Amino acid sequence: MMKKTIFSGMQATGNFHIGNWLGAARNWAHLSADYNCLYCVVDLHALTVRQDPKALSQSAYSVLAWYIALGLNPEDNILYFQSHVPAHAELAWILNCFTYVGELSRMTQFKDKSAKNEDNINAGLYTYPVLMAADILLFQTHLVPVGDDQRQHLELTRDVAQRFNAIYGDVFVVPEPYIPKVGARIMGLLNPEGKMSKSGDNPNDCIFLSDEPDAILKKFKRAVTDSDNAVFASPEKPGITNLLSIYSCVTGKTLDESVAAFAASGYGDFKTRVGEAVVEALAPYRAEYDRLMADRAYLDSVLQSGAAKAQALAAPTLVRVKEAIGLPV
Ligand code: TYM
């Protein structure tokens, strides 16, 4: 039987943080046994916010190195930079013509990002979800493993695919989201009402995978809690609930087991132990990441073969799309 296809991506901006890891990449490494897996570093998407050219390139390699360090073996997974495969941008243009302005105006990420970048609300920020739909549909993707914040973009991807299929026949597989039960929305440590994000104002809100162990422990000690000193999960306790989710993701314990582990703990002890568990879980990956970042030739060889494989897989879909709509091929 033909294996189904998995596609996911991460922006080439800033640093990889534990939200990216626990909500998304953590769930990717074991999938290659059962699926054809493609993981892209989406550098074109990153351009929707003004980037420093050197930092952008460095971030793109850094995301690739984390992919590999976190267990995505390039022999079993196709890893590449989005800008190395022009079919992404080509399909995005076509899908732009099948996506309504009204749909894009409803995207919460667009609203959030335009509020944060008032002086640069560019057209790319607006059509960002169409490029994402193209990323996914280009490979006849069945499953898209992402964090909860991408749910709305995936709904749009499905709508665009179904709209196109309704006119031209079954050209695209209609993808399903694959969102973890725990860890799908890691919240900020200082503001547990908002998701942990690279673009936040305060670096203490966010744990980066490349943070030194001491810095990680300090950030956890500063995490915002509440005043009743009892460790359990509840919507009224967003800070504690977030720390419990992080602990349960990195230790593999269920949420109930995690609550039980802290039955006799006050918040001080709880926060220290969550920090220690994260440091311990990250230790093997950090060394591998450092090794990979020092080997640019190897990363370039991964990129070259990844882009060639992705381009070959994308080509038949692009031909089908062009034939369907009447572009000469
Ligand atoms: P990006 O780069 O913002 O995030 C990459 C992945 O990390 C997840 N994530 C989180 N999960 C849990 N808690 C958080 N605080 C958290 N922050 C981020 C995201 O859900 C995502 O899975 N638009 C995408 C990139 C993209 C993409 C695609 C993804 C472009 N094309 C095609 C899948 C398929 C984005 O901005 O992710």
Side-chain angles (χ1 to χ4, degrees), residues 7-28 38-47 56 59-68 70 72 79-83 88 109 113 128 132 135 144-147 149-150 198 209:
F7 180 97
S8 199
M10 204 162 287
Q11 289 200 61
T13 41
N15 271 320
F16 216 109
H17 60 68
I18 59 167
N20 301 136
W21 174 40
L22 302 177
R26 173 177 66 111
N27 308 304
W28 298 352
L38 298 105
Y39 300 105
C40 184
V41 179
V42 295
D43 47 4
L44 296 176
H45 276 104
L47 301 177
L56 176 63
S59 294
Y61 277 97
S62 166
V63 173
L64 174 70
W66 277 120
Y67 277 0
I68 303 171
L70 292 172
L72 298 179
L79 311 178
Y80 67 103
F81 287 168
Q82 187 184 33
S83 63
H88 285 263
Q109 195 159 304
K113 284 202 176 169
Y128 177 112
M132 178 160 164
D135 298 341
V144 185
V146 280
D149 61 338
Q150 297 303 313
K198 294 172 186 171
L209 299 200

Side-chain angles (χ1 to χ4, degrees), residues 2 9 14 30 33 39 42-43 52 62 93 121 149 183 195-197 201 232 240 251 254 295 313 322 324:
M2 284 259 292
H30 66 277
Y39 300 105
V42 295
D43 47 4
D52 170 68
S62 166
W93 174 256
I121 306 179
D149 61 338
K195 72 166 181 174
M196 185 177 283
S197 110
D201 299 329
F232 63 93
I240 301 301
T251 57
T254 63
D295 193 351
L313 286 173
K322 287 181 176 174

Side-chain angles (χ1 to χ4, degrees), residues 93-223:
W93 174 256
I94 294 171
L95 296 183
N96 264 320
C97 305
F98 291 85
T99 309
Y100 299 122
V101 165
E103 288 174 309
L104 294 175
S105 304
R106 283 197 291 277
M107 295 292 119
T108 53
Q109 195 159 304
F110 170 68
K111 292 184 203 163
D112 291 349
K113 284 202 176 169
S114 357
K116 279 191 193 138
N117 299 282
E118 268 181 351
D119 53 346
N120 184 20
I121 306 179
N122 59 70
L125 202 58
Y126 194 60
T127 58
Y128 177 112
V130 185
L131 179 56
M132 178 160 164
D135 298 341
I136 296 167
L137 300 180
L138 200 50
F139 299 101
Q140 306 292 354
T141 301
H142 298 88
L143 275 185
V144 185
V146 280
D148 187 59
D149 61 338
Q150 297 303 313
R151 202 182 279 277
Q152 196 186 28
H153 287 162
L154 271 170
E155 270 310 309
L156 179 75
T157 302
R158 289 171 53 83
D159 289 346
V160 170
Q162 277 160 348
R163 182 171 307 143
F164 196 96
N165 286 353
I167 307 171
Y168 301 108
D170 281 341
V171 174
F172 294 122
V173 167
V174 180
E176 299 282 343
Y178 178 62
I179 296 175
K181 288 206 173 67
V182 183
R185 188 171 279 266
I186 299 294
M187 311 307 270
L189 295 189
L190 298 182
N191 172 21
E193 311 275 352
K195 72 166 181 174
M196 185 177 283
S197 110
K198 294 172 186 171
S199 54
D201 299 329
N202 192 334
N204 290 325
D205 198 45
C206 189
I207 303 282
F208 299 109
L209 299 200
S210 53
D211 279 343
E212 293 297 331
D214 270 0
I216 295 180
L217 292 174
K218 272 199 194 119
K219 287 185 185 181
F220 274 106
K221 279 186 190 146
R222 287 195 194 119

